[in-house]
Amino acid sequence: MSTFRKSVVEHLTLLLFLLPLLWANLHGSHDWGGDFAQYIQQSLHIASGTPQTPSHYLYNSDYSELAPPVYSVGFPLLLAPISAIWGNDMTAFQIYLSVLLILLGLAIYS
């Protein structure tokens, strides 16, 4: 068996083992915590082209360890394409994050 063909077989086998992530992460609800609500809101702002800084989060300056007024733009940028297409759809976010996990697993293996 050639090296290329062996590599393809290995990657397809790994993909087969990673596919259950899709079903493991899809359960109709989420327990991501309150921080993810702010990430999703920021991604909706990015997708609609409005500034991401206005939010419904009430920042408590006396307890700044709780959460920042606005999170960094990295994760909301990853979520923005899904927000632009499907809006605030948790199933779409869960499928998207599962696919990203599968791709990350393949990339790390490679």
Side-chain angles (χ1 to χ4, degrees):
M1 188 181 318
S2 69
T3 306
F4 175 74
R5 190 169 171 176
K6 183 178 178 185
S7 176
V8 169
V9 169
E10 288 174 357
H11 282 82
L12 288 176
T13 303
L14 179 61
L15 180 62
L16 184 67
F17 284 118
L18 291 174
L19 276 179
L21 281 173
L22 285 173
W23 292 276
N25 291 333
L26 294 178
H27 40 75
S29 66
H30 71 87
D31 57 353
W32 293 352
D35 292 348
F36 282 92
Q38 192 167 347
Y39 285 127
I40 291 170
Q41 184 180 28
Q42 285 177 233
S43 74
L44 289 168
H45 285 301
I46 292 169
S48 66
T50 59
Q52 66 166 345
T53 51
S55 69
H56 300 292
Y57 177 69
L58 299 175
Y59 178 69
N60 184 356
S61 59
D62 295 331
Y63 189 50
S64 60
E65 301 86 30
L66 182 61
V70 176
Y71 284 102
S72 62
V73 73
F75 192 58
L77 271 176
L78 281 175
L79 296 178
I82 302 304
S83 299
I85 297 170
W86 287 286
N88 189 5
D89 183 1
M90 289 311 301
T91 303
F93 286 127
Q94 289 171 345
I95 292 171
Y96 180 63
L97 291 176
S98 296
V99 169
L100 285 179
L101 282 172
I102 290 170
L103 292 175
L104 178 64
L106 289 169
I108 288 173
Y109 178 77
S110 292

